Amino acid sequence: MAGNVDLDPSTARSSGLTHLESPDGRSFVAHGPVAERPVPGDYLEIEGEDGLLAFVEDVVDVGGAGDGTGFSASGTLVPVGGAARSSRPADAPWHDAVVRPTRPDAVQRLLSGSDPELHLGHLTGQDDVGVALVPNRLNRHTFWCGQSGSGKTYALGVLLERILLTTRLPMLVLDPNSDFVRLHEQAGEVEPGQARALREREVVVLRPNDPDSPLRVRFTDMNARAKAAVLRLDPVVDRAEYNALLRLFDSDFNAVEAEKIVPHLRSLGDPDAEALAQRLENLGVVEWSTTWAFGGASATDVIARRPAATVLDLGGYDRHEEQLTVALAVLDDLWERRAERRPLLIVVDEAHNLCPPDPETPLGVAVRDRLIQIAAEGRKYGLWLLLSTQRPSKVHAGIVSQCDNLTLMRMNSRDDLAQLASVFGFVPQGLLAQAARFRQGEALLAGGFVPMPSVVRVRSRITPQGGTDVPVPMP
């Protein structure tokens, strides 16, 4: 943000031009008549200078008693790639420079990159200016948010498609609403090159009741803490049962059929095993037939192969506990393998379900804590999070604070916007303030994965949406 440089607004009003001052060649303040008033996110060009643009971050009206006769804008000076290099030193100050709205081609050089397949959409109000993804900056955690009806899930699908088509970064999608289960399909007429690229990428969709690609995990592969969380065991309060769990649930149980686990425990003649059997019966854990792989293939086996995308259809489970169990088993396995340093983008849709500030069950605590650990330490191992939610305040702050990329769609909640402003200090306040007025499909993108903070209209998808709103019945 610019420093407190002042230019008499009456001079700008009388000239009918916008004038810019910059003490350091980096930040600026500009004043002009209200007829030339920009909005946050606009770009201004400096008269006679092709290699530099002024990015507007904040605008206020100025004039006697707030009569709105002029404006004061502040922001950052940005070099433009592909333009002639400026003859001025990079940190040279500007005094009384004349600026005006820039040409679309100058903004396009800054935002579009060289590959239109990388575009997430176009700059709002400028259909000929695409905003490109910077794929090598996906090695940072990303926060993706927008209230219901903002187009958040649709836009996230666009991002996942762009990653599929233009990178070799594997993805794991934890999908609680079955929104991305058709990520491997083509929606209608698609440009031949895109259709071919999509067909060449391996997308595996695992579903609880799918006989060909079942979504299962192995209880015996889970670590002691995870097993205890599933069974709601405390290592101190329930020390006898916890100890029985450590002693009895080893690899031998892979060969025991689900319906025989409780009888097997009771046949051991061990009072602690009997108590454990009663706990299994009371909780109904053995009856989660769509959760446990026992000796069969596990979702962790598929993810370890690193397909281009692995979608876990958590929405197919009847119980939230089953969703949490599968998520925990998968996240724990990834953490156990972290030393392999194999890149993976972990997409957590409806993240407030898996990492709320105060989970109600031991399972919820275990999943949240693992995500906190991945957020804090996972980057150096190639484990990168993309968290999507309707309510930022419903996601644990320790995870949100680790995110360096932000996508914000329409958001009316002042509390949520205030939280985002406090966490994402690199996002211009003037752009954040616009979020309440976004139309469906408009998004603020900020952070390293885009060239500059930008408000975009998201492009169309090439794969179908898995879940859609229920229409209102009409006569």
Side-chain angles (χ1 to χ4, degrees):
M1 187 63 70
N4 295 320
V5 179
D6 190 27
L7 176 68
D8 184 357
S10 63
T11 303
R13 291 197 297 275
S14 64
S15 67
L17 298 172
T18 300
H19 293 260
L20 175 145
E21 294 280 331
S22 174
D24 55 7
R26 300 178 182 181
S27 59
F28 73 86
V29 170
H31 295 275
V34 71
E36 301 295 325
R37 189 185 196 277
V39 298
D42 279 351
Y43 291 86
L44 307 174
E45 64 180 50
I46 303 173
E47 190 173 78
E49 176 60 67
D50 291 333
L52 205 62
L53 291 178
F55 176 63
V56 178
E57 298 181 357
D58 198 14
V59 183
V60 295
D61 291 329
V62 296
D67 60 8
T69 54
F71 72 85
S72 174
S74 57
T76 305
L77 296 175
V78 185
V80 181
R85 183 180 293 274
S86 175
S87 59
R88 295 167 55 89
D91 56 353
W94 291 88
H95 299 291
D96 201 23
V98 175
V99 292
R100 56 177 53 87
T102 190
R103 303 179 307 275
D105 63 306
V107 181
Q108 186 169 354
R109 290 199 304 270
L110 177 65
L111 299 179
S112 290
S114 59
D115 184 355
E117 296 299 334
L118 288 170
H119 293 175
L120 293 180
H122 62 261
L123 201 63
T124 300
Q126 299 192 44
D127 293 352
D128 50 355
V129 178
V131 178
L133 174 72
V134 182
N136 61 2
R137 295 306 297 273
L138 288 168
N139 65 347
R140 298 292 188 273
H141 303 314
T142 300
F143 195 64
W144 196 278
C145 58
Q147 70 183 45
S148 179
S150 64
K152 170 181 62 69
T153 301
Y154 185 95
L156 179 55
V158 172
L159 176 66
L160 301 188
E161 291 172 359
R162 293 302 105 192
I163 294 173
L164 271 177
L165 294 174
T166 61
T167 79
R168 289 297 178 264
L169 173 60
M171 296 183 291
L172 165 66
V173 184
L174 302 178
D175 184 7
N177 291 333
S178 308
D179 286 322
F180 304 103
V181 296
R182 302 180 68 186
L183 194 60
H184 58 307
E185 301 177 23
Q186 178 180 315
E189 293 296 325
V190 176
E191 190 275 323
Q194 292 185 339
R196 182 174 60 255
L198 185 62
R199 287 194 302 269
E200 291 173 352
R201 305 292 279 143
E202 183 188 9
V203 178
V204 179
V205 180
L206 302 180
R207 293 173 163 172
N209 294 302
D210 189 330
D212 299 319
S213 300
L215 178 53
R216 306 279 195 275
V217 294
R218 288 187 290 264
F219 184 80
T220 51
D221 286 350
M222 300 175 77
N223 61 42
R225 182 173 184 262
K227 291 174 183 174
V230 171
L231 300 180
R232 305 183 191 181
L233 284 171
D234 184 278
V236 177
V237 176
D238 308 302
R239 54 188 177 274
E241 288 180 66
Y242 190 95
N243 185 262
L245 178 71
L246 297 180
R247 288 187 288 109
L248 300 175
F249 272 87
D250 54 21
S251 58
D252 292 341
F253 266 80
N254 274 329
V256 179
E257 297 177 11
E259 64 272 13
K260 296 181 179 178
I261 289 178
V262 170
H264 177 76
L265 287 170
R266 285 184 167 141
S267 70
L268 299 177
D270 182 334
D272 296 332
E274 170 63 28
L276 196 56
Q278 292 176 1
R279 181 177 291 268
L280 287 168
E281 279 188 324
N282 294 344
L283 294 176
V285 172
V286 177
E287 298 171 8
W288 299 355
S289 59
T290 54
T291 301
W292 304 122
F294 294 100
S298 170
T300 57
D301 301 327
V302 176
I303 298 166
R305 291 198 293 104
R306 289 297 192 273
T310 306
V311 180
L312 306 186
D313 181 16
L314 300 178
Y317 289 114
D318 295 330
R319 305 173 184 86
H320 184 51
E321 291 88 348
E322 292 178 274
Q323 294 185 0
L324 291 172
T325 296
V326 171
L328 181 59
V330 166
L331 294 172
D332 278 352
D333 186 74
L334 289 172
W335 190 249
E336 288 297 319
R337 300 172 184 262
R338 65 190 182 280
E340 298 174 5
R341 296 180 182 268
R342 300 169 63 201
L344 182 69
L345 181 66
I346 306 170
V347 182
V348 184
D349 193 24
E350 306 296 351
H352 50 275
N353 291 328
L354 295 186
C355 45
D358 299 303
E360 298 179 352
T361 66
L363 256 178
V365 170
V367 174
R368 181 206 61 186
D369 289 352
R370 182 60 77 199
L371 284 169
I372 291 174
Q373 189 169 33
I374 292 174
E377 305 176 48
R379 273 179 45 192
K380 61 188 175 185
Y381 299 112
L383 299 177
W384 306 313
L385 293 172
L386 193 164
L387 305 166
S388 175
T389 185
Q390 296 178 18
R391 294 294 309 274
S393 59
K394 300 298 183 182
V395 178
H396 192 278
I399 299 176
V400 180
S401 65
Q402 296 295 327
C403 294
D404 293 325
N405 299 320
L406 172 68
T407 295
L408 172 62
M409 306 193 74
R410 187 171 69 247
M411 184 74 67
N412 291 332
S413 169
R414 293 183 179 180
D415 290 342
D416 283 329
L417 288 174
Q419 179 191 359
L420 291 172
S422 67
V423 173
F424 298 99
F426 58 84
V427 183
Q429 297 293 304
L431 289 178
L432 280 174
Q434 295 182 35
R437 300 189 298 275
F438 285 168
R439 296 183 177 91
Q440 187 179 52
E442 291 181 343
L444 166 61
L445 308 176
F449 74 153
V450 286
M452 288 290 293
S454 303
V455 177
V456 307
R457 173 158 287 280
V458 175
R459 70 189 296 168
S460 298
R461 286 185 61 168
I462 66 170
T463 62
Q465 181 103 340
T468 58
D469 291 339
V470 177
V472 175
M474 300 295 289

